[in-house]
Amino acid sequence: MRLRAHLATLLLASMAGMTAGSAPALAAAPGFDLSPAQQNRIRGAEDPAAIKAIPSNFAFVAKNALTVGIVVGHPPISTYASDARTVVGFDPDLAQLIADSLGKHLNVVILAWPDWPLSLASGKVDAVISNVTVTEERKAKFDFSTYRQDQIGFYVRTDSPIRQIAEPKDIAGLRIITDAGTNQEKILLEWDRQNVARGLKPVSVQYYDDDAVRSVALQSGRADAILSVNAALAYDAARQGKTRQVGTLSGGWPRTAEVAVTSRKGSGLAEPLTIALNNLIQNGQYRSVLARWHLESEAIAKAATNPPGLPKS
């Protein structure tokens, strides 16, 4: 508790001068457009094959619209624009392209992460596009159309002596921040278990609910590295210039994991979504959107409906 209180004090000190009720300005990393206008957003055309595949009895939440649930999390995946209202990022851009492909307007519903399963199952949204990884457990309740690799990354301070983290032995004895209840936590704990079994020093795992406090922990030297979503950490590195990547791996290690557009189980929407995604991959617009948000390394070659997911834990 003393550590957390100390870090919170440092964070508050860094925010001194803000007026009551004000929000800190969101600074874009070089090469990222966080303006609400999004003038360079890529738009698509109707995809006849995808439209034809929509079941005749599928009832969209709103007439002539594709209603997509998005959890506003971290840039460049999804975040608020500089007006603190408009949702921008790769997931909103992809949602727009898919809506265009289906001949629909895009209607975005902002969700909290714990709420997306119920929002989808209850019919509040037609689909969820929010970095949801395909797992066998989730496949029992939802359908999936894949669109991006699930990558996680190790990041350290720019002046850290750590040059590479590529395998379990590289983390022995380190103090590593990660996210509770996530794939990255499971991987970190498994790597640590293997190390301890081999007689190597254990990892000291740290958890923080606040990203700013997490950053302070790393920069103050109270942690050696962060293991989290690679896209978000890469954005922070580009924006602040205080961290650097020392390794990446699949979020499903040792298996390959992919994130997917999520729809209601048996609704019939997954196949049209997959058709639309594959057309976007083939015509190049998919990669153009990835490039717009500097996520080219997470591209997939082909979208799939309900592929094998990560096994049940």
Side-chain angles (χ1 to χ4, degrees):
M1 294 299 294
R2 289 182 180 177
L3 170 60
R4 195 179 188 92
H6 175 68
L7 293 173
T9 299
L10 290 175
L11 174 61
L12 288 173
S14 70
M15 296 172 65
M18 288 175 56
T19 58
S22 67
L26 182 59
F32 291 88
D33 176 15
L34 295 188
S35 68
Q38 292 293 291
Q39 294 180 348
N40 294 323
R41 172 173 277 182
I42 300 166
R43 297 297 300 268
E46 291 187 3
D47 181 347
I51 294 172
K52 184 177 180 180
I54 300 172
S56 59
N57 61 348
F58 183 84
F60 286 92
V61 173
K63 186 178 181 181
N64 297 323
L66 177 68
T67 302
V68 175
I70 293 179
V71 178
V72 183
H74 301 281
I77 297 172
S78 64
T79 190
Y80 287 110
S82 55
D83 65 354
R85 294 193 310 270
T86 306
V87 182
V88 299
F90 174 77
D91 281 353
D93 276 10
L94 185 67
Q96 183 64 71
L97 277 178
I98 292 173
D100 291 341
S101 298
L102 299 182
K104 304 289 184 181
H105 298 294
L106 175 62
N107 179 30
V108 172
V109 174
I110 298 170
L111 303 174
W113 177 259
D115 297 338
W116 74 257
L118 180 59
S119 296
L120 187 55
S122 65
K124 182 178 180 179
V125 296
D126 298 314
V128 169
I129 302 179
S130 207
N131 211 48
V132 180
T133 302
V134 182
T135 69
E136 289 302 309
E137 186 173 5
R138 288 171 177 164
K139 279 171 60 181
K141 299 179 180 179
F142 304 102
D143 287 332
F144 293 95
S145 302
T146 57
Y147 66 87
R148 208 180 82 243
Q149 294 182 50
D150 180 357
Q151 280 191 349
I152 57 177
F154 286 99
Y155 283 72
V156 299
R157 288 192 332 190
T158 53
D159 61 353
S160 171
I162 299 171
R163 309 312 302 177
Q164 183 181 40
I165 298 178
E167 54 184 320
K169 69 179 181 61
D170 296 334
I171 66 168
L174 297 182
R175 300 162 299 169
I176 299 181
I177 300 168
T178 196
D179 313 301
T182 62
N183 292 341
Q184 48 265 32
E185 180 195 34
K186 291 179 182 178
I187 294 168
L188 185 63
L189 295 179
E190 173 58 22
W191 280 24
D192 184 49
R193 185 194 67 78
Q194 292 181 17
N195 283 341
V196 171
R198 294 168 182 163
L200 299 177
K201 292 182 179 180
V203 167
S204 174
V205 183
Q206 300 180 13
Y207 303 95
Y208 299 100
D209 294 332
D210 190 297
D211 288 347
V213 174
R214 180 180 76 173
S215 179
V216 170
L218 184 67
Q219 294 301 322
S220 66
R222 296 181 180 274
D224 300 304
I226 294 177
L227 174 63
S228 191
V229 177
N230 182 65
L233 292 180
Y235 179 88
D236 288 341
R239 180 169 62 92
Q240 299 176 356
K242 296 180 179 181
T243 56
R244 57 181 170 81
Q245 182 198 97
V246 291
T248 61
L249 64 157
S250 173
W253 180 93
R255 300 171 178 84
T256 298
E258 292 183 342
V259 297
V261 182
T262 311
S263 54
R264 285 186 295 280
K265 188 72 176 179
S267 68
L269 189 60
E271 192 56 32
L273 291 171
T274 301
I275 292 171
L277 285 165
N278 278 319
N279 184 53
L280 293 170
I281 290 172
Q282 292 168 9
N283 69 23
Q285 290 186 311
Y286 164 77
R287 283 190 173 272
S288 294
V289 172
L290 282 170
R292 183 170 189 246
W293 297 102
H294 299 222
L295 292 173
E296 301 97 315
S297 67
E298 301 186 5
I300 61 173
K302 185 177 181 180
T305 301
N306 293 328
L310 298 182
K312 295 181 181 180
S313 55

